[in-house]
């Protein structure tokens, strides 16, 4: 690509994340811009056309979606739908010859992640996950501490990602057929990823527990999950994720110091401190950084910071956690 080239992005599913985070971020991106939309709600199409000056020819419904193949203004399709729809719409985007960004969690299970990866490989298109923290400076700093052993070897990591859900009990996130699971499918990926980059490798084993205190509200999906990991380098880790508690933290204990982010996984600004003082970076939209990183990967072959394989890795861990819960702990008698 040339230095001033910008790739057109189509957002698929105009819910709260597209509306309040991605579309505004796409007004500031350097390597991509909002070029189209895909929505099942005609009124949203009209509002977005007016607000973002979109030509109706770049606006699609779920039925006309495949015609995006003929739309040269759109290079990247960003799937921002309920989890159960990620695989289908990511695969159809790849088959239309478009690069794909898929929101987290990548799919309902590992098999869906494999199908998305295969479709993108077959079509020869790039695949990225909506993992905004992979482009975020505090997170990069933690990775640097681990890589450079700034505080010595890491021994113990701990990460929590949770919020209290009190809304409509019929929302898709609480409906297993649309979400694939509860807190673990929603926020769990943040605590899993925090553990992984705080120790610098993928976990080897997991033991997990599920807690349910509001079964009348969480009829169908997990409410609170804790899990303990071991890692190949001897690090021990623990995580918590919940739809019934508030937590947002990453901590790493090292041989000669420690690091912490709190908050660690919201839209920012994040906040961090270490045994040798506080850390601070100027705030930028994480979504802007993430989408620019992906567009730059396509245009200039810079690293793909959140490839499909990372989405699949996280889903493998999610499945292992659910499996460990099923196997159960030992009763104390
Ligand atoms: P919303 O419920 O706010 O929006 C989902 C949109 O999907 C709807 O507005 C609708 O858009 C479309 N849709 C199509 N079919 C359905 C259906 N059966 N039920 C509900 N919606 C449907 O969800 P979010 O925007 O919060 O989340 C969307 C995705 O983005 C999820 O996978 C979520 O995990 C991920 N996400 C990621 C975040 C991150 O930080 N990376 C943050 C928030 C969400 P339309 O009317 O246009 O058809």
């Amino acid at each position: 690509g040339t230095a001033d080239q910008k790739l057109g992005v189509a957002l698929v599913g105009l819910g709260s994340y597209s509306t309040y985070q991605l579309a505004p971020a796409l007004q500031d991106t350097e390597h991509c811009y909002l070029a189209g939309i895909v929505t099942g709600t005609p009124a949203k199409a009209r509002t977005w056309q007016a607000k973002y000056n979109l030509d109706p020819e770049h606006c699609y419904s779920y039925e006309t979606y495949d015609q995006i193949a003929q739309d040269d203004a759109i290079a990247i399709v960003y799937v921002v739908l309920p989890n159960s729809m990620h695989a289908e719409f990511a695969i159809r985007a790849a088959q239309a010859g478009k690069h794909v960004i898929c929101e987290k969690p990548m799919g309902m299970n590992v098999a869906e992640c494999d199908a998305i990866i295969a479709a993108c490989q077959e079509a020869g298109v790039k695949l990225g996950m909506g993992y905004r923290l992979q482009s975020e400076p505090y997170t990069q700093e933690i990775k640097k501490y681990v890589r450079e052993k700034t505080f010595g070897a890491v021994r113990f990591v701990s990460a929590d990602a949770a919020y209290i859900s009190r809304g409509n009990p019929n929302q898709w996130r609480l409906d297993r057929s649309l979400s694939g699971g509860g807190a673990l499918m929603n926020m769990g990926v943040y605590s899993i990823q925090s553990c992984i980059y705080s120790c610098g490798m993928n976990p080897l084993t997991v033991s997990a527990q599920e807690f349910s205190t509001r079964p009348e509200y969480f009829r169908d999906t997990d409410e609170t999950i804790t899990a303990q990991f071991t890692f190949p380098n001897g690090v021990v880790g623990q995580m918590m994720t919940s739809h019934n508690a508030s937590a947002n933290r990453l901590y790493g204990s090292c041989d000669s110091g420690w690091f912490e982010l709190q908050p660690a996984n919201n839209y920012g600004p994040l906040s961090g401190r270490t045994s040798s003082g506080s850390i601070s970076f100027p705030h930028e939209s994480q979504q802007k950084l993430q989408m620019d990183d992906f567009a730059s990967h396509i245009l200039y072959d810079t690293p793909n910071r959140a490839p499909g394989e990372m989405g699949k890795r996280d889903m493998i861990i999610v499945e292992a956690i659910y499996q460990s819960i099923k196997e159960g702990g030992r009763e104390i008698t």
Side-chain angles (χ1 to χ4, degrees), residues 14 16-17 39-41 44 62 83 86 104 132 172-173:
L14 307 182
S16 52
Y17 196 53
T39 177
T41 311
K44 289 185 192 170
Y62 302 123
N83 307 341
H86 289 183
K104 42 79 19 186
R132 53 189 166 74
W172 69 260
R173 279 192 175 80

